[in-house]
Amino acid sequence: MTDIAGQLIPVASALAGVALTLLGNVYLERSKWRQTQRSERRARSLESFADLLQAITDIARTLRQTAEQIDEGRDVDMQGVADRIDDLIGQVRRQGTVARIVGPRSTFSLITALEGQIAPIYRLVAEVGRSSNGAALVEPARQLMKTRDAFIDHLRSADGMSWL
């Protein structure tokens, strides 16, 4: 009986060691998986904010260039400008939705304010096309750039990216 116990104890000890090693490996793999998921979430979030900021910049740039061209007396294809603005507004709305999903809650108010700013821009472009008053586009472009800068400042702040 002692002989059997003497043989079982080293075997049981070896099996316990193998089991602990396997559990340790599972734990480490799970930690690596979580870290990978966190990194992917960060990348997705940063990409969505970069795309959102780019779309805001593109709208403001298009408005400003259109205003300059109208003020210089050049012939401006307002239908083309309206189509471009419409595409960019759609992009801002899509990226705003993605940013709400993957981004911090602290940006929700900024996204809501941005959506309020871009809503009347399409109608404004149509009105400017009829009136040929390019100066009306300058202030919305300036406000969009201020909103973009507010996004950047917020994301650079301590609580802007702390959720990452």
Side-chain angles (χ1 to χ4, degrees):
M1 185 86 162
T2 340
D3 215 14
I4 294 175
Q7 290 175 357
L8 283 179
I9 290 176
V11 170
S13 177
L15 287 175
V18 168
L20 288 174
T21 301
L22 289 174
L23 286 174
N25 287 341
V26 167
Y27 177 77
L28 290 174
E29 287 300 317
R30 194 169 126 206
S31 293
K32 281 197 272 184
W33 179 81
R34 283 183 180 164
Q35 190 170 5
T36 301
Q37 291 296 98
R38 198 173 304 124
S39 296
E40 287 175 4
R41 193 171 43 245
R42 281 186 198 127
R44 240 187 349 261
S45 178
L46 291 174
E47 182 180 351
S48 75
F49 279 109
D51 292 344
L52 179 63
L53 294 173
Q54 185 61 51
I56 294 169
T57 303
D58 290 345
I59 290 173
R61 185 178 299 129
T62 302
L63 292 175
R64 191 164 297 215
Q65 288 172 350
T66 303
E68 288 172 2
Q69 290 172 353
I70 290 172
D71 290 344
E72 291 171 358
R74 289 196 234 162
D75 187 30
V76 179
D77 177 19
M78 290 307 288
Q79 183 61 44
V81 171
D83 290 344
R84 172 86 172 129
I85 293 292
D86 190 44
D87 290 344
L88 291 169
I89 288 172
Q91 185 178 351
V92 166
R93 287 187 175 140
R94 283 188 302 278
Q95 292 304 325
T97 300
V98 171
R100 278 191 174 117
I101 292 169
V102 299
R105 288 183 178 266
S106 61
T107 60
F108 280 29
S109 62
L110 290 170
I111 294 170
T112 301
L114 173 65
E115 288 172 344
Q117 272 184 313
I118 64 168
I121 288 177
Y122 186 81
R123 283 190 304 275
L124 179 66
V125 169
E127 289 172 16
V128 167
R130 287 190 294 271
S131 70
S132 295
N133 178 15
L137 298 176
V138 174
E139 187 56 31
R142 187 175 296 127
Q143 290 300 319
L144 282 172
M145 293 306 282
K146 284 182 182 179
T147 301
R148 184 202 67 172
D149 293 343
F151 262 105
I152 292 169
D153 292 343
H154 178 75
L155 293 173
R156 286 182 181 161
S157 72
D159 58 310
M161 294 303 249
S162 62
W163 53 277
L164 289 175

